Amino acid sequence: MSEKEKKDLPENETGSEAEAEEVAAPATEPSAGESAEESYTVTREQMEQMEALAKMVSDGNDKYLRLAAEYDNYRKRTAKEKENLYAAAKADTIKPFLDVYDNLERAVAQFDADDPHRQGVELITKQLLDVLAKLGVEEIAAQGQPFDPEKHNAVMHVEDEGAGENTVVEVFQKGFTLGDKVLRFAVVKVAN
């Protein structure tokens, strides 16, 4: 660096040539079709500042990415919790209506087959079953089925040669499911 260039620099930029680094310098004069490249001299201190700023930007980007991932996880977790909460509330609401269904079944059994009261109670029972079906409630098949401890609650055991091994021969109380969840186990009698 010439003495004249050193005098033109501010005081904090003057220093030995070992402190300054030249970023780019043109090798020759640019021709008419080429654009001129400018050459800059950067001090070590300025270079350290630029590196510190680049590190700060990189750290900020990492923090942003982590925050975005945490928010995405939070959003998914709360959506799942909402769905589970809705399913639990729905199941808790439906369970008392199963007792109403049992009482309607008992009322149907009290009347003769041709009694108009029986027909009315049967219509009400069917209507309740239709409403439960629209909500996703299904009856657990039990009569004549193999005993399944995840769906049936065996309260009696009987030896019966006419029935297969571990087969449900009588249903005392119907069971119901809501999707994959058992709302109420079927209370049954199992043979053999």
Side-chain angles (χ1 to χ4, degrees):
M1 193 179 275
S2 69
E3 289 296 318
K4 183 180 178 197
E5 290 175 335
K6 287 183 181 177
K7 287 181 184 177
D8 290 343
L9 290 175
E11 287 182 28
N12 63 353
E13 289 187 12
T14 58
S16 68
E17 287 187 23
E19 289 181 340
E21 295 179 21
E22 196 170 300
V23 175
T28 60
E29 290 281 324
S31 62
E34 298 177 7
S35 64
E37 290 184 20
E38 294 186 31
S39 145
Y40 297 99
T41 304
V42 179
T43 64
R44 185 168 300 185
E45 182 179 299
Q46 289 173 330
M47 194 63 152
E48 289 172 356
Q49 286 177 346
M50 286 190 283
E51 288 173 356
L53 288 173
K55 184 177 183 322
M56 210 163 61
V57 167
S58 174
D59 290 347
N61 190 33
D62 286 346
K63 286 180 183 177
Y64 167 75
L65 291 175
R66 289 178 192 273
L67 183 62
E70 285 178 17
Y71 175 73
D72 191 45
N73 291 340
Y74 166 77
R75 186 181 51 79
K76 288 177 184 175
R77 185 176 59 246
T78 55
K80 187 175 181 179
E81 286 174 358
K82 264 188 198 177
E83 185 179 308
N84 291 340
L85 186 62
Y86 175 74
K90 186 176 176 182
D92 289 344
T93 303
I94 291 172
K95 282 181 184 179
F97 287 101
L98 298 179
D99 294 333
V100 173
Y101 171 76
D102 292 337
N103 289 331
L104 288 171
E105 284 286 308
R106 288 184 195 106
V108 167
Q110 296 300 316
F111 296 108
D112 293 330
D114 57 347
D115 192 337
H117 294 299
R118 178 182 175 128
Q119 293 170 357
V121 175
E122 284 175 343
L123 289 173
I124 293 169
T125 305
K126 183 181 178 327
Q127 184 180 17
L128 177 61
L129 284 175
D130 290 343
V131 169
L132 292 175
K134 286 179 184 175
L135 293 171
V137 178
E138 296 177 2
E139 184 180 331
I140 296 174
Q143 186 72 36
Q145 300 292 320
F147 175 73
D148 182 1
E150 295 195 13
K151 295 180 181 177
H152 305 133
N153 182 13
V155 293
M156 289 182 72
H157 182 79
V158 65
E159 293 295 327
D160 186 359
E161 298 300 323
E165 182 70 24
N166 221 13
T167 304
V168 175
V169 291
E170 189 176 346
V171 178
F172 297 117
Q173 186 179 43
K174 292 181 180 179
F176 293 92
T177 60
L178 179 62
D180 294 337
K181 183 179 180 181
V182 175
L183 291 176
R184 182 173 76 184
F185 292 92
V187 179
V188 297
K189 181 195 296 187
V190 180
N192 303 329

